Amino acid sequence: MLKIKSKKDAPTGLNGSRSTTPVPSRSTTPRPPHSMPDPQHHSNAARNGVLTVRVFSGRNLNLPPNTTLPAVIEQALLSGATQHRTPANRESLQRKRSWWLPYVVLQFDKQEIMVDALGGELNAPAWMYKAHFDVSRISDLSISAYLRTQPPAPGDDQNNMGNDLLLCRLDYTPALDGH
């Protein structure tokens, strides 16, 4: 026997409607597609996490035009202060201060880290450093290399940049996508 349903046999919904078209419920509110903010107009959109920056070494660093090598750096180079024993494989490196070599300053959103060179040459220092910055918003990352004009005095603030020479600077706006 074949039975044909009529409209009045259709079940009624919660609001008394006889519609049988299912309407899926949404678990979240729809949002516009994600787009990258314009770096020229730094959005203060909330970003949380940690930015990791690795600084390995520099290449072809030179003094600014018409600048001579500071006398204390020249004396350190002549006195053999730069003679470091090259560590063998599997030997750990100790972070030993090489004050006569260029150092870098990493800046991100009002946070600053100063890194002394582990070794290398005056025009090719090796820093081999990993920095971590707390992220709360989009900001520029700035990496600057400086050469000291005098040795740090004992008891002085080791982070005092005084009249140090700026060798180079890189400004970069990292993409802070959640990876």
Side-chain angles (χ1 to χ4, degrees):
M1 177 172 179
L2 179 64
K3 183 173 180 185
I4 299 177
K5 283 188 171 183
S6 67
K7 278 191 173 183
K8 60 182 181 178
D9 292 335
T12 57
L14 294 176
N15 61 0
S17 169
R18 293 181 184 245
S19 172
T20 58
T21 306
V23 178
S25 64
R26 292 184 182 138
S27 60
T28 60
T29 304
R31 302 201 188 286
H34 177 67
S35 62
M36 285 296 296
D38 182 1
Q40 300 299 329
H41 303 92
H42 293 288
S43 166
N44 284 338
R47 301 270 195 245
N48 293 317
V50 175
L51 173 66
T52 300
V53 178
R54 291 182 181 175
V55 181
F56 292 105
S57 62
R59 284 186 281 177
N60 301 323
L61 298 182
N62 295 307
L63 292 171
N66 304 321
T67 304
T68 60
L69 187 65
V72 294
I73 302 293
E74 200 168 334
Q75 287 173 343
L77 293 171
L78 293 174
S79 72
T82 61
Q83 293 177 356
H84 285 296
R85 185 176 71 79
T86 304
N89 277 350
R90 300 218 174 250
E91 193 174 337
S92 76
L93 284 173
Q94 292 182 354
R95 190 157 284 281
K96 194 170 186 179
R97 183 169 216 170
S98 299
W99 67 266
W100 59 90
L101 292 175
Y103 63 91
V104 292
V105 176
L106 308 169
Q107 295 173 316
F108 180 77
D109 191 26
K110 300 179 186 174
Q111 302 168 68
E112 187 173 276
I113 297 174
M114 184 174 163
V115 183
D116 284 314
L118 285 175
E121 301 293 325
L122 198 57
N123 66 345
W127 297 289
M128 296 175 24
Y129 190 81
K130 184 193 288 188
H132 302 281
F133 293 100
D134 292 328
V135 176
S136 60
R137 61 185 169 163
I138 295 173
S139 185
D140 285 340
L141 171 67
S142 175
I143 303 173
S144 305
Y146 292 91
L147 182 65
R148 287 185 173 85
T149 55
Q150 58 188 331
D156 275 358
D157 179 15
Q158 299 297 313
N159 294 333
N160 181 5
M161 295 174 13
N163 294 324
D164 296 346
L165 301 170
L166 177 65
L167 301 177
C168 65
R169 180 180 171 123
L170 169 73
D171 291 319
Y172 178 74
T173 305
L176 299 175
D177 293 337
H179 287 236

